[in-house]
């Protein structure tokens, strides 16, 4: 039995929880979006109160860094000296500081409200994608296989019923659980972290791809790459999904099953104008979305922009607040570099090999990412979800905010019905929650060890590294289970 099967609970859930799910699924999308916005507004207000009363602030230190960068820009604007990089540790695009200038000129929480709104806007794009890609949808349809509306206050089946969408994998419930009312997502955005901007842009790209608006999809993806480098790994996902879309069309014309076009048709699609034209269109969109802002920032700040906002992240060495097991080799490499002989008299002379740990991390990462993009080509949302989890899992740096890169994407996998048992099919979501507990246990173990090192000052480096290894194993287990559900989902509904 697979790991996820062993953890699968019974499909029947407690009645109060079932009523909650039914209530969420019966709400209109705008009601859920409004409620989520209100919750975030309340948390932004709370953050101001918390920061005044407690020594440990609720606001993310990165928010203060960006605000200081915006203050530097505003102070010297519009001269060339108006640089956010005057603020030490400012490692972002200057456009982010430009957008955050109202933090200085209007009120401090402006940026938090903007970032929290990105959560809600991302959910809107997710709703739009679900509405357009459900089986039976024609461009903007909203029907499930049996004709029941999937959005807009639809009838919802119970956990063991039939007819309608099974409540446990209804998109509304999943988006509420993983995005709109997820405490991790709410906490990250209302603390002032900018990672949800990327999620918003990525979901906008997925929605545009669902509408066959390839230029818009490319622009949104390009903008996300400019804000954070990592979305560049989604390019193979979109390319493979586009190739499958064209190959499936050729298969229908030749009376072949569109789910698995013959290899000859895939090769034919690869050189078909139906594939090359939108591919070039999307590529130009990516170049415009990523290239133009990057050229603008380079023209403005030159090499300093490249060093601080781009090259720093490629060669980043982070041995604190880092869940990844790579932190310890990086830490030892820094020690060998800065203090010769610190690792013992028999330790060889330090070389750059110690400091290339981050680059070595890309090797298993890239292989797994490309494989996932191809295997999950029938559904680009599935591919992006799994690729993101693989990227976070094997990345040389992993912090809490990285989790919001994939949490909002999980509904696409669980809503596919992969592994569902019977008409009610609570299986995928239930397993997801069970695996989530396993994943969370890894976080708890790591935090217990990190307190000893980062707060108490104890030299408990090996126990902390072992906790990082344990968390890595839990991440691999969860990623494997989600990938398995996504692969099974390729045979079900919500083809995108």
């Amino acid at each position: 039995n697979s790991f996820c099967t062993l953890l699968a609970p019974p499909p029947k859930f407690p009645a109060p929880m079932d009523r909650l799910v039914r209530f969420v699924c019966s709400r209109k999308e705008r009601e859920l979006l409004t409620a989520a916005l209100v919750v975030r507004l309340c948390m932004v207000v709370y953050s101001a109160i918390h920061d005044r009363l407690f020594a440990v602030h609720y606001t993310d230190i990165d928010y203060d860094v960006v605000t200081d960068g915006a203050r530097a820009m505003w102070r010297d604007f519009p001269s060339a000296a108006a640089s956010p990089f005057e603020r030490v540790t400012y490692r972002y695009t200057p456009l982010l500081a430009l957008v955050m200038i109202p933090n200085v000129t209007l009120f401090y929480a402006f940026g938090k409200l903007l970032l929290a709104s990105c959560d809600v806007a991302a959910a809107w794009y997710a709703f739009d994608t679900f509405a357009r890609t459900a089986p039976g949808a024609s461009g903007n349809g909203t029907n499930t296989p049996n004709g029941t509306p999937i959005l807009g206050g639809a009838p919802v089946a119970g956990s063991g019923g039939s007819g309608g969408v099974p409540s446990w994998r209804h998109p509304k419930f999943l988006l509420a659980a993983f995005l709109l009312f997820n405490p991790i997502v709410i906490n990250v955005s209302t603390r002032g972290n900018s990672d949800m901007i990327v999620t918003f842009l990525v979901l906008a790209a997925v929605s545009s791809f669902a509408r066959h608006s390839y230029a818009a999809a490319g622009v949104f993806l390009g903008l996300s790459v400019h804000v954070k480098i990592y979305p560049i790994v989604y390019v193979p996902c979109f390319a493979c999904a586009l190739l499958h879309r064209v190959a499936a069309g050729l298969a229908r014309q030749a009376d072949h099953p569109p789910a698995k076009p013959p290899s000859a048709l895939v090769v034919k699609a690869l050189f078909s104008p139906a594939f090359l034209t939108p591919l070039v269109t999307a590529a130009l969109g990516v170049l415009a979305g990523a290239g133009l802002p990057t050229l603008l920032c380079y023209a403005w700040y030159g090499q300093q922009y490249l060093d601080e906002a781009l090259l720093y992240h490629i060669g980043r060495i982070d041995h604190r607040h880092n869940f990844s097991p790579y932190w310890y080799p990086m830490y030892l490499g820094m020690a060998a570099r800065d203090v010769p002989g610190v690792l013992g008299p028999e330790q060889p002379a330090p070389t750059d090999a110690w400091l290339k740990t981050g680059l070595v991390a890309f090797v298993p990462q890239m292989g797994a990412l490309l494989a996932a993009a191809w295997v999950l080509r029938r559904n680009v949302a599935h591919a992006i979800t799994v690729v993101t989890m693989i990227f976070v899992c094997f990345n040389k740096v992993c912090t809490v905010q990285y989790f919001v890169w994939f949490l909002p994407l999980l509904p696409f996998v669980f809503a596919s019905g992969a592994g569902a048992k019977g008409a009610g099919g609570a299986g995928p979501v239930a397993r997801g929650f069970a695996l989530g507990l396993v994943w969370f246990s890894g976080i708890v173990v790591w935090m217990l060890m990190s307190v000893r090192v980062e707060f108490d000052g104890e030299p408990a480096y090996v126990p902390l590294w072992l906790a990082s290894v344990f968390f890595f194993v839990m991440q691999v287990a969860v990623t494997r289970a989600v990938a398995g559900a996504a692969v099974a989902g390729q045979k079900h509904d919500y083809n995108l």
Side-chain angles (χ1 to χ4, degrees), residues 85 93-94 226 294 297-298 301-310:
F85 299 112
T93 169
H226 174 74
T294 300
C297 293
Y298 179 73
Y301 299 109
Q303 188 63 36
Q304 185 182 30
Y305 162 69
L306 296 181
D307 292 338
E308 299 291 346
L310 296 178

Side-chain angles (χ1 to χ4, degrees), residues 75-394:
R75 182 184 63 236
D76 299 320
F77 191 83
S79 70
S83 172
F85 299 112
E86 289 183 13
R87 174 54 158 96
V88 179
T89 72
Y90 186 92
R91 314 290 188 189
Y92 315 96
T93 169
L95 300 183
L96 180 60
L98 186 66
V99 172
M100 295 296 177
I101 285 180
N103 289 5
V104 180
T105 59
L106 296 179
F107 57 97
Y108 176 72
F110 171 86
K112 291 183 181 181
L113 296 177
L114 178 64
L115 296 172
S117 299
C118 287
D119 291 5
V120 180
W124 184 88
Y125 275 118
F127 278 129
D128 180 71
T129 302
F130 273 119
R132 294 177 182 278
T133 59
S138 300
N140 60 353
T142 57
N143 291 337
T144 60
N146 61 6
T148 304
I150 195 169
L151 296 174
V156 179
S159 57
S162 59
V165 182
S167 57
W168 302 107
R169 59 184 180 91
H170 194 285
K172 287 182 181 178
F173 166 65
L174 293 171
L175 287 172
F178 287 104
L179 176 52
L180 288 175
F181 303 103
N182 186 287
I184 296 178
V185 175
I186 294 174
N187 176 264
V188 168
S189 63
T190 57
R191 291 180 66 220
N193 190 282
S194 61
D195 285 271
M196 280 309 299
I197 294 179
V198 180
T199 301
F200 158 70
L201 292 171
V202 169
L203 284 174
V206 172
S207 176
S208 299
F209 186 85
R211 290 184 278 110
H212 297 246
S213 299
Y214 300 114
V219 170
F220 282 124
L221 183 60
L223 287 172
S224 69
V225 172
H226 174 74
V227 177
K228 294 271 188 179
I229 301 175
Y230 83 89
I232 194 70
V233 301
Y234 299 148
V235 170
C237 299
F238 283 98
C240 291
L242 178 60
L243 178 62
H244 174 79
R245 178 178 284 180
V246 175
L250 295 177
R252 291 188 187 94
Q253 295 175 8
D255 293 328
H256 287 288
K260 293 184 178 180
S263 299
L265 290 181
V266 175
V267 174
K268 182 179 179 181
L270 186 62
F271 298 98
S272 167
F275 170 69
L276 295 177
T277 300
L279 181 67
V280 171
T281 300
L284 292 176
V286 172
L287 290 176
L292 293 180
T294 300
L295 289 175
L296 175 63
C297 293
Y298 179 73
W300 203 348
Y301 299 109
Q303 188 63 36
Q304 185 182 30
Y305 162 69
L306 296 181
D307 292 338
E308 299 291 346
L310 296 178
L311 299 179
Y312 167 81
H313 295 284
I314 295 175
R316 179 180 178 184
I317 297 176
D318 195 338
H319 64 284
R320 284 291 183 267
H321 318 298
N322 187 357
F323 288 93
S324 171
Y326 288 111
W327 75 265
Y328 195 44
M330 287 191 289
Y331 176 70
L332 294 177
M334 293 174 65
R337 178 195 63 188
D338 299 334
V339 187
V342 70
L343 300 181
E346 298 181 359
Q347 175 66 33
T351 65
D352 288 341
W354 280 96
L355 303 178
K356 293 179 180 178
T357 303
L359 297 178
V360 173
F362 282 113
V363 176
Q365 213 175 28
M366 288 301 106
L369 295 178
L370 293 174
W374 176 252
V375 172
L376 300 174
R377 61 190 180 278
R378 275 193 61 189
N379 191 306
V380 71
H382 287 181
I384 285 177
T385 303
V386 175
V387 161
T388 306
M389 295 188 71
I390 292 173
F391 183 85
V392 172
C393 185
F394 289 94

Side-chain angles (χ1 to χ4, degrees), residues 423-450:
V429 180
R431 293 172 194 159
F433 281 118
L435 288 170
L437 292 177
V438 174
W439 174 69
F440 185 71
S441 70
I443 295 179
V444 172
V445 171
W446 185 90
M447 293 187 68
L448 291 175
M449 292 297 102
S450 68

